[in-house]
Structure formats: structure tokens, C-alpha cells
Amino acid sequence: MKTTMAAAILCLLGAAGIAQAQDPDLARNLAATCANCHGTNGHSAGGMDSLAGEAPDRMMRKLMEFRSGERPATIMHQIAKGYTEDQLRLIAEFFAKQ
Amino acid sequence: MLNRREFVKSIGAMAASATALGAFATAQAQARGGAHVVVVGGGYGGATAAKYLRMWSNGAVRVTLVERERSFVSCPISNLVVAGVRQLDDITLSYDNLRSKWGVEIVTGEVVAIDVARRQMQLADGTTLNYDRAVLSPGIDFLPELIEGLAGNEELLPHAWKAGPQTALLRRQLEAMEPGGVFAIHIPGVPYRCPPGPYERACVAAHYLKTHKPGSKLILLDTNPDIQSKKGLFMTAFNELYSDVIEYRPSSTLRRVDAQARRLELEFDTLEADVVNVIPPMRAGRIVDQLGVPLVNDRWVDVEWLSLEVKGAPNVHVLGDALFPAPAMPKSGHMANQHAKVAAAAILNLLAGREPNPTPVVMNTCYSFVDDGSAMHVASVHQYDVEKQTFLAVEGSGGVSTAASHLEGQYALVWAKNVWADMLA
Ligand SMILES: Cc1cc2nc3c(=O)[nH]c(=O)nc-3n(C[C@H](O)[C@H](O)[C@H](O)COP(=O)(O)OP(=O)(O)OC[C@H]3O[C@@H](n4cnc5c(N)ncnc54)[C@H](O)[C@@H]3O)c2cc1C
């Protein structure tokens, strides 16, 4: 009981610690992992959908549909599952501003 | 004017937006007369690092890129050049945009020495470059001496594993081969650059032989006991598309070659072929020997994954194929590009007196063609694990195509176009 409590508190502290330590450029850095296919800052060089300027909720919906398999995909279902929902939201918000 | 302390305070008061902190990093770099980063190697890792360092610092950090070649020639898509589906021109790009659009100083030359303690590099022509931080993305060098008779014979037995004249040479040799001839490809043991690459080469070359050189055979000699990437998909291609062309021989270690006779001696067997493509064993680009740190298995560089800073060589970051990889992390152009972004972000933080981003993510995709138009992929996403201090592939993510398709053939070309733009445009 005691250890569980301690673990829970540690967890909370840990989580808070991580939240505090979040890099100010985290969204930019995460979004840069998509640029190989969708273009630098989401501006496609051609042949692929640009992600820049898309409303974040709209993009989030698509990404969640890729994750659940609802949206047909060759590859995005596999990619979207590698990021947490929080990370995807940061990415969507970053691209919306580009 | 604010002094630095007031500036820091006023920045702290602002919302911690990326722009404000970008400006902070910029101000700091300017305060110290503009930090200078020297990038060695303008391939997938180095070119990306150079561009992103300039872009993310809003031009505040000076970046010099030293590359021995005048233009960039891409290994991805080069197998289509070997197969005659694309030309060398299609995979050759210029460094001009890095200079004119991003303000990267491009030096055509070869780095021959690095003094880690003095943060100084020496070029072959005697020029000295001082740096605050160095990025090395030198790719791979070959170890032909591990196969008797191979060293010095790369004209007779081309590797075509660095794109450029070697790619064109292998293409010419295949074109000159008589119908009914034998083309042999030798694959080194893992780890080597681009795990699916040799199997892709076998497929697209077999497609060429089948359509242009009827009756020819392709013998694929693999040092490894099995296909190293997209196994099921490549097996399907070998069996369904090329059963009359490709003969796959796993666990085939090449002991000795007679280059003139194009004779290959394996452990238990000897064979002769008309065209021979020996992909030699490989190691990190030799410039890393200048760092004076031990290499993993005497071949690969060990780094701290949060910054890609070399263990034991402060202020030097290594990217791409030269690295001893994290678990399940392939040596690919896509991955080298992702390393570059982690390193660029970390370097800008470090120059601004901050810790690197504690939660980086990288992802990989490798498309492989199976003929002149259809391709398939393997993908993975890798999150940094605090406890293990390395990147780990996310369970349940990534995977391979269900089957090769024309649609993915299109996406493979679109991938190339976009990744080339991401590093060079
Ligand atoms: C046939 C083939 C197909 C491939 N297909 C794919 C694919 O579809 N997708 C994919 O993601 N990857 C693919 N790859 C792998 C990809 O090419 C490499 O993983 C990638 O090039 C690694 O990038 P890098 O920056 O580490 O090295 P490189 O891109 O090789 O860049 C290294 C550069 O450094 C320069 N250099 C080295 N030493 C010095 C020095 N001392 N001074 C100055 N310059 C120096 C070299 O000239 C070179 O330009 C393929 C590879 C091959 C061979």
C-alpha cells in the first residue's frame, strides 16, 4: 500500500517533471519528422498533400482515423500509431501555423 | 538597449513561444559573435543538418558545409538507374540552394584531420576551419581487404553502393552483357547501408534482364542467413515475378575473388559470372578515426542519442550511416535526415545554454521497387526511452506494405522528391 502510494506520487511528480521540462520547440521538432514526405514545414514539394495551414481539428480527425484504421491508407495508419495523441496534437497545431 | 540579463528576464516574461525562444537563441549566438557549426559531408544527414541549423536559427548560426563532391547524387532511386528506368541526371542535385537560399557556406574539399580539443579541422588543401560545434555525416567506407582479391578492383567488380560513377559503371556492364548471361550480386553481413537495398537491386535488375536480356540469370549471394528486410514481400517478388531469373543463396560468404575471371569463391562453392556486383563489408566513413574514440566493433560511432554528440568527443555530433544504431534503427537516408533534425535542435539548444530536447522522436521509411513501377515500404517510429537512453521502436506502430503496388511506386518517387527538397531546396 505504502509503496503503491509512493509509486503513484513518484509517477505524478515524474509526469509533472516531464511536463515542466518539455522543450519549447517540441512541436516544431515533432512536425519535422513528417517533412521527409510532406515537405519542409508541411509545404509539399509536389505529389504529396501539404500539411501547412490545415485547421488543427481537421488534421487531428484525419490522424485519429488513420490510427483507428477508418481512413484508407498505404502507410499513414502505421506512422500515426507511433506517436501519442498529445504529440499528434502538437504536430497538428504547428502545421496549422505554417 | 537591454543588457543580456534584462533581455533574458524579459524573454522569460513572455509566453514561451517557439519564436521567442528562437529569438533568444539568436541573441545569444550573436552575443558570442555568431556560433559557427562545420558540417562534414553533404549527403542525407549533413545537407539536412546544414539547412535546418540555418532555418531554425533564423540565420544566426554560421554554417559551413564541407563536401568532397561538387554535386549530390542520391543512393535512393539509384537502383532504378542500374535497371535503366532512370538516368543519373534524375538523381543528381545541386548544392546551390543551400548557399543562395539558406546562406550555408559550401566548401568543396575533403576534411583530413580533426583536432577535437582545439575544435579545429584541416582540409586536404591545407585550409583550417575552426568550429564551435562539428557535425559529421560521412556515410560509409568500404573494407574490401576483408575479401581476398577485391581491393583495387572496383572497376571490374563495381559496388555501386555509393551513387555516382559506380552506378553508371554497373549500368554499362549490365547493358553490355549478352542475353543468357549471369549477373551475380554479393551482399555483406549486417549491419550494412540500406537493409532492403540489395534485394531491391536484385528485383529491378531481374526485371531489366527479363525484358531486355532473355535467358539471363541473377544469382544473389547473401552473407546473411536470410533476407534482411521486407522478407515476405521480397520472397513473393522472387518467387512470383522472377522465379526463372533470380536464384537466392543465403549464408553465402564470399572468401576470395578473381576479378579478371569474374570468379567468386564461397565457403563451399565457386562460381563464374559475366557481371559481378560485390557490395563490400563496410564501416563508418574513415574521417571518424580522427576523433580518437573507440568505435563499436571497430566500425561504428557511439553517440548520446539526445544530442548525437559522440561519447568521448565533446562538441562533435555524428549522424547517419556512420552510427552504431539504436535497436531496430536502419542505416537509411530517411533516418539520416531524421538524425540531422534531432542534432540540429540539440545543437541550437546547447549553443543557447539549454539542455537538448528530452523527448525526441525519429521515424523511418524505406520504399523498395520490385520492377519498373511498383514498390512497397517498411516503416517504423522510434521514441526516446529515458531509462534505456536510446531510441526504441514503438510497439504496434510501423510495418510493411500488404503487397507491392503501383500506387506505392508513385509514393516512392514522391518521397524522393520531397526528401531531396527537405535537405537541399
Ligand atoms: C542502392 C541504394 C539504395 C538506397 N535506397 C534507400 C532508400 O530508398 N531510402 C533510404 O532512406 N535510404 C536508402 N539508401 C541508404 C542511404 O543512401 C544512406 O543511408 C544515406 O545516404 C546515409 O546518409 P549519410 O549522410 O550517413 O551518408 P551519405 O548520404 O553517403 O553522405 C556522406 C557524404 O559525406 C561526404 N564525405 C565523407 N567523408 C568526407 C570528408 N572527409 N570530407 C568531405 N566530405 C566527406 C561524401 O562525399 C558524401 O557525400 C540506399 C542506399 C543504396 C546504396
Side-chain angles (χ1 to χ4, degrees):
Chain A
M1 177 67 194
K2 231 178 177 170
T3 39
T4 328
M5 278 278 284
I9 289 166
L10 264 178
C11 257
L12 275 170
L13 284 173
I18 285 166
Q20 263 170 16
Q22 178 174 311
D23 192 276
D25 295 315
L26 184 59
R28 178 200 74 180
N29 295 350
L30 289 168
T33 65
C34 316
N36 304 44
C37 296
H38 290 282
T40 306
N41 295 324
H43 297 285
S44 168
M48 184 65 66
D49 290 306
S50 276
L51 301 178
E54 178 154 349
D57 287 343
R58 218 175 114 90
M59 190 182 302
M60 229 12 227
R61 198 174 59 242
K62 289 179 188 169
L63 290 169
M64 294 315 283
E65 286 171 4
F66 281 134
R67 258 160 67 126
S68 69
E70 268 168 87
R71 203 177 174 86
T74 57
I75 195 167
M76 277 310 299
H77 56 308
Q78 298 173 344
I79 294 175
K81 284 181 197 143
Y83 297 78
T84 65
E85 210 175 317
D86 287 347
Q87 289 173 331
L88 291 176
R89 175 148 298 279
L90 282 172
I91 291 171
E93 282 164 2
F94 178 85
F95 281 129
K97 286 185 257 159
Q98 301 306 303
Chain B
M1 269 303 265
L2 299 175
N3 65 29
R4 200 179 135 224
R5 213 162 150 180
E6 285 164 347
F7 178 73
V8 171
K9 255 166 73 186
S10 73
I11 284 284
M14 280 189 195
S17 76
T19 354
L21 280 146
F24 174 52
T26 307
Q28 278 226 331
Q30 275 161 355
R32 40 201 306 266
H36 185 210
V37 179
V38 176
V39 180
V40 181
Y44 273 84
T48 308
K51 169 173 160 178
Y52 273 75
L53 281 163
R54 292 290 295 167
M55 185 171 84
W56 282 347
S57 74
N58 295 314
V61 170
R62 228 184 105 204
V63 177
T64 303
L65 174 64
V66 188
E67 165 59 52
R68 61 161 87 92
E69 306 294 338
R70 294 207 166 266
S71 34
F72 167 78
V73 188
S74 174
C75 284
I77 312 297
S78 72
N79 280 334
L80 292 186
V81 177
V82 171
V85 180
R86 283 286 184 283
Q87 304 302 312
L88 206 53
D89 271 357
D90 299 326
I91 60 167
T92 304
L93 289 101
S94 145
Y95 289 111
D96 285 353
N97 283 324
L98 281 186
R99 191 194 324 253
S100 61
K101 191 167 158 200
W102 297 104
V104 176
E105 292 163 49
I106 312 274
V107 175
T108 305
E110 164 134 15
V111 174
V112 292
I114 302 175
D115 185 331
V116 174
R118 294 161 88 167
R119 288 185 289 163
Q120 207 170 62
M121 284 182 204
Q122 192 99 47
L123 272 58
D125 68 2
T127 316
T128 299
L129 287 171
N130 294 303
Y131 62 81
D132 294 296
R133 294 218 164 235
V135 176
L136 313 183
S137 193
I140 48 126
D141 270 322
F142 298 116
L143 297 163
E145 61 277 14
L146 295 183
I147 297 172
E148 200 186 327
L150 183 60
N153 284 317
E154 61 179 32
E155 300 282 310
L156 287 168
L157 310 174
H159 54 76
W161 218 244
K162 291 186 184 185
Q166 276 275 314
T167 315
L169 179 63
L170 181 58
R171 173 66 199 154
R172 283 199 303 277
Q173 292 188 359
L174 271 187
E175 269 185 300
M177 189 173 94
E178 295 294 330
V182 175
F183 174 35
I185 302 178
H186 170 261
I187 309 173
V190 286
Y192 58 85
R193 146 178 289 185
C194 193
Y199 311 100
E200 174 189 59
R201 176 169 291 174
C203 287
V204 297
H207 182 264
Y208 167 72
L209 295 177
K210 204 172 157 163
T211 46
H212 290 79
K213 310 271 174 184
S216 301
K217 293 270 178 238
L218 191 158
I219 301 181
L220 186 55
L221 302 166
D222 196 341
T223 305
N224 302 290
D226 214 336
I227 295 174
Q228 293 302 304
S229 178
K230 299 178 229 186
K231 180 182 165 192
L233 291 165
F234 278 119
M235 292 274 280
T236 303
F238 292 177
N239 295 331
E240 288 180 8
L241 301 174
Y242 307 116
S243 61
D244 49 345
V245 183
I246 296 179
E247 187 187 322
Y248 177 62
R249 296 196 198 167
S251 303
S252 298
T253 304
L254 188 55
R255 294 276 177 232
R256 195 173 169 279
V257 294
D258 180 335
Q260 290 295 339
R262 291 197 163 87
R263 189 166 46 236
L264 307 175
E265 286 179 26
L266 307 165
E267 226 161 356
F268 305 111
D269 200 4
T270 299
L271 68 104
E272 278 178 29
D274 299 291
V275 179
V276 177
N277 170 206
V278 177
I279 305 168
M282 50 193 87
R283 51 152 294 166
R286 287 206 155 75
I287 191 64
V288 304
D289 293 346
Q290 289 293 315
L291 301 177
V293 296
L295 301 180
V296 179
N297 300 329
D298 292 328
R299 293 191 190 184
W300 312 107
V301 180
D302 206 11
V303 293
E304 301 286 357
W305 284 104
L306 282 182
S307 59
L308 285 91
E309 192 164 355
V310 179
K311 290 183 182 165
N315 306 306
V316 180
H317 304 251
V318 172
L319 324 173
D321 287 357
L323 292 182
F324 179 67
M329 181 184 273
K331 295 189 183 301
S332 75
H334 193 112
M335 186 52 79
N337 165 295
Q338 301 262 319
H339 290 160
K341 292 164 182 172
V342 173
I347 287 170
L348 295 178
N349 278 15
L350 291 163
L351 289 172
R354 291 203 315 257
E355 290 296 307
N357 169 17
T359 54
V361 180
V362 293
M363 62 95 47
N364 182 64
T365 304
C366 285
Y367 285 102
S368 299
F369 282 87
V370 292
D371 56 28
D372 56 352
S374 301
M376 59 220 191
H377 76 260
V378 56
S380 53
V381 181
H382 310 246
Q383 301 253 2
Y384 184 75
D385 185 282
V386 182
E387 207 177 300
K388 301 223 162 65
Q389 298 187 18
T390 187
F391 284 100
L392 296 180
V394 178
E395 252 177 76
S397 76
V400 299
S401 311
T402 40
S405 67
H406 264 97
L407 178 59
E408 289 218 279
Q410 292 299 313
Y411 282 143
L413 296 173
V414 162
W415 169 85
K417 190 172 176 176
N418 277 281
V419 76
W420 292 340
D422 194 37
M423 55 193 282
L424 292 166

